[in-house]
Amino acid sequence: MAYNAVKSSGQILTANMKFTIPLVSAMIASVLSCISSQPGDMLLSAVNAHEGDKSTGDFFREIWKEDGIGGFFRGMRARFLHVGLIVTV
């Protein structure tokens, strides 16, 4: 999509553009994947960290009650760094 936009504008793709477009695309994909998968991963981590008879729904309600929606996004900065480096590089 980005390549076609550059080509249709009449510009010539330079070596710098050929490096930058995929890099920026990978960074955007990394951020979006982190945001979309974080709530499920947070819930999975809570379930795996405890033993007992609690169901996944119990952990969901507990996180929601304690921190609201923000509780599902705890640890995002570290995740952005970790996943960002893996996906982008």
Side-chain angles (χ1 to χ4, degrees):
M1 201 161 94
Y3 286 116
N4 290 336
V6 171
K7 285 182 181 180
S8 67
S9 70
Q11 294 181 357
I12 297 173
L13 284 172
T14 64
N16 191 28
M17 290 173 130
K18 289 180 181 179
F19 173 78
T20 304
I21 291 172
L23 180 67
V24 171
S25 298
M27 291 170 62
I28 292 169
S30 171
V31 168
L32 293 176
S33 69
C34 281
I35 293 169
S36 65
S37 63
Q38 178 65 22
D41 285 344
M42 181 64 189
L43 189 57
L44 180 64
S45 294
V47 170
N48 288 336
H50 294 86
E51 294 181 15
D53 296 335
K54 282 185 172 181
S55 69
T56 303
D58 293 334
F59 285 104
F60 177 89
R61 286 184 285 280
E62 186 177 302
I63 293 169
W64 186 268
K65 183 180 177 184
E66 289 178 13
D67 300 316
I69 190 94
F72 293 99
F73 293 94
R74 197 177 318 136
M76 283 292 293
R77 281 185 235 159
R79 188 151 193 238
F80 277 139
L81 179 63
H82 179 248
V83 173
L85 289 173
I86 292 171
V87 172
T88 303
V89 177

